[in-house]
Amino acid sequence: MSENQHQDPFEDRLGAALRVTGDSFDADRAALAAGGRIRGRRARLRRRAGVLGGAAGIALVGVGGALLLPGGGDSAGPQQASVAAPPRATTASPAPTASFSGDDLVQALKELLPEGTVSEEQAQGTGPGLPPYAHVVFDDGEGAAAVGISLDRVEPGSRDVRERTTCPDRTIVAYDDCTTSRLADGSVLMVYQGYEYPDRRVDTKWWSADLVTARGQHVSVSEWNAPAEKDAAITRPQPPLSPAELQKVVTAEVWRRVVDAIPEDPKAGAKAKASQSAAPSRRPEASGEAIGRTLVSLLPDGVDVVSRGEQETGYAYLVLDDGEGSSLVQINVQPDMRDVADQLYGSAGTRPDGTLVATSQGPGEKGGAGVVMWTADTMRPGGLRVVISAFNSGAQHEDATRDAPALTMEQLEKIALSPEWDRLR
């Protein structure tokens, strides 16, 4: 079973608004950088799928995730792998096994690669600290290319699993190909062929394969057509591993043993318990479906909804047409954001009721020729943040289809300030 869709990444900027959770830590900076680059690929793709870009230089918080499309849009067909409910009988974790060193991981990766030379080896084993990873530069004679693998655990059947194995929405993320399939053992595999830079300012290709087993073992392999993910000259037309070869590497049995050998974090249970017992200071995020439905109800007369999509929570988009061409409108609704209000709004205007309002009009950021982005960013006194942006194109990475967005700045501000958002739960 497989599902093909096509899309391109969103921006790679989180900005100062990102919440920092968990304890501070010290780590080897070189290892942290190398491991973080590899592990961050999938998280970055998810962020690009749901983060509004550029509102007065503001990045949004808490909106990562794969987009879920309702009927009538670019929704997945009946053959897409369901990742919500993997087999329950096999979800128990095994007893810890022998540890793997960084050299073990590099050797295992090298044995799975085609004929060629390997250099610039970096790795972290399964000991305490960073999750395990390996990173090499591989050359099969056609040009040097970065190849990396990272491993961790996820909760079976969770939202995290869906995010890691669902192809993104074409309206938001432009890429060449993406397939999701369920394997015979119940694992879910996503193979993605896209680009490192969302605006394609450099044509560095980023291909990846993500495997999540029924027990929550997560293996992610990434490759590029350059010897480094960023700031390196392109050395070959395509990354070295074909989609079939990516699948062979990511599904190798050795990686599941590596995941099983990752030590349990003794602080994880305590942190989860503390989080659950803490006073509920924030209201939960509204569902993407409810946000999209509310946005439709607030549209002015004379515009038609061509397509729509949403994340599970916090984000939705519409593609509108008022007879003048397609226009993307996207919105984030975030609960209590008061702790970062100063970073987000600075000297923004304040309404009599205390609501902060920042507006901006500028160029698009995803490479579409002539694309402009108009944004109204608001925060209620209680911290509810509503940010809406409109574009003069049906997708940011596509060229402009009209002179201005389908909604005026006045209409965007009116929608963002509507009391309907306060009623969402």
Side-chain angles (χ1 to χ4, degrees), residues 117-394:
T117 61
V118 171
S119 61
E120 299 185 36
E121 302 170 2
Q122 299 180 30
Q124 165 79 26
T126 56
L130 296 173
Y133 73 90
H135 180 274
V136 302
V137 174
F138 172 71
D139 192 339
D140 57 0
E142 301 296 326
V147 179
I149 185 166
S150 63
L151 307 102
D152 62 354
R153 297 190 186 96
V154 294
E155 183 66 27
S158 66
R159 173 181 173 180
D160 198 17
V161 175
R162 294 191 293 275
E163 289 176 349
R164 294 168 190 263
T165 57
T166 300
C167 291
D169 180 350
R170 184 177 184 179
T171 301
I172 305 303
V173 177
Y175 58 80
D176 292 333
D177 195 22
C178 184
T179 64
T180 295
S181 58
R182 185 174 291 281
L183 307 183
D185 65 356
S187 300
V188 179
L189 171 70
M190 184 178 79
V191 178
Y192 171 85
Q193 296 171 267
Y195 297 86
E196 177 66 25
Y197 296 94
D199 59 4
R200 302 284 295 279
R201 62 186 181 274
V202 179
D203 205 28
T204 305
K205 294 186 178 180
W206 165 39
W207 293 5
S208 65
D210 277 80
L211 178 81
V212 178
T213 71
R215 291 199 290 108
Q217 299 152 308
H218 175 228
V219 184
S220 182
V221 177
S222 290
E223 60 169 340
W224 293 262
N225 61 333
E229 299 93 308
K230 294 179 181 292
D231 303 322
I234 294 172
T235 54
R236 50 192 301 142
Q238 311 285 7
L241 304 179
S242 69
E245 289 171 322
L246 273 175
Q247 178 171 343
K248 176 185 175 183
V249 173
V250 81
T251 57
E253 183 64 28
V254 62
W255 306 127
R256 305 187 191 204
R257 300 198 299 272
V258 173
V259 174
D260 289 344
I262 298 174
E264 294 288 348
D265 182 0
K267 297 181 180 180
K271 289 179 181 178
K273 185 176 295 185
S275 176
Q276 292 171 359
S277 62
S281 59
R282 300 183 69 203
R283 62 194 270 184
E285 284 190 279
S287 71
E289 181 181 2
I291 292 170
R293 185 171 60 247
T294 301
L295 179 57
V296 170
S297 73
L298 296 173
L299 293 175
D301 294 335
V303 294
D304 295 324
V305 177
V306 176
S307 63
R308 58 191 296 177
E310 68 269 342
Q311 287 181 211
E312 290 190 22
T313 60
Y315 172 85
Y317 78 83
L318 306 174
V319 177
L320 306 179
D321 194 338
D322 56 1
E324 301 296 328
S326 297
S327 177
L328 171 67
V329 176
Q330 54 185 14
I331 187 165
N332 280 88
V333 180
Q334 300 171 291
D336 193 358
M337 299 290 290
R338 287 173 291 184
D339 56 336
V340 291
D342 290 343
Q343 295 168 295
L344 294 172
Y345 294 94
S347 59
T350 304
R351 296 172 63 88
D353 66 353
T355 298
L356 297 169
V357 180
T359 58
S360 64
Q361 294 176 265
E365 301 175 335
K366 306 302 175 291
V371 173
V372 298
M373 175 181 182
W374 294 359
T375 298
D377 187 342
T378 67
M379 183 183 291
R380 270 68 159 171
L384 179 66
R385 188 183 185 204
V386 181
V387 191
I388 183 170
S389 289
F391 305 83
N392 59 337
S393 172

Side-chain angles (χ1 to χ4, degrees), residues 34-71:
R37 285 196 302 268
I38 300 166
R39 294 191 304 279
R41 300 300 105 185
R42 184 58 51 209
R44 180 163 58 80
L45 178 60
R46 299 199 303 273
R47 289 200 304 272
R48 289 172 179 172
V51 179
L52 293 177
I58 295 168
L60 299 180
V61 180
V63 290
L67 295 176
L68 307 178
L69 302 183

Side-chain angles (χ1 to χ4, degrees), residues 397-414:
H397 51 269
E398 296 177 357
D399 295 347
T401 56
R402 49 190 298 141
D403 292 334
L407 301 180
T408 65
M409 285 300 303
E410 181 180 2
Q411 290 169 330
L412 290 172
E413 189 169 334
K414 181 179 179 180

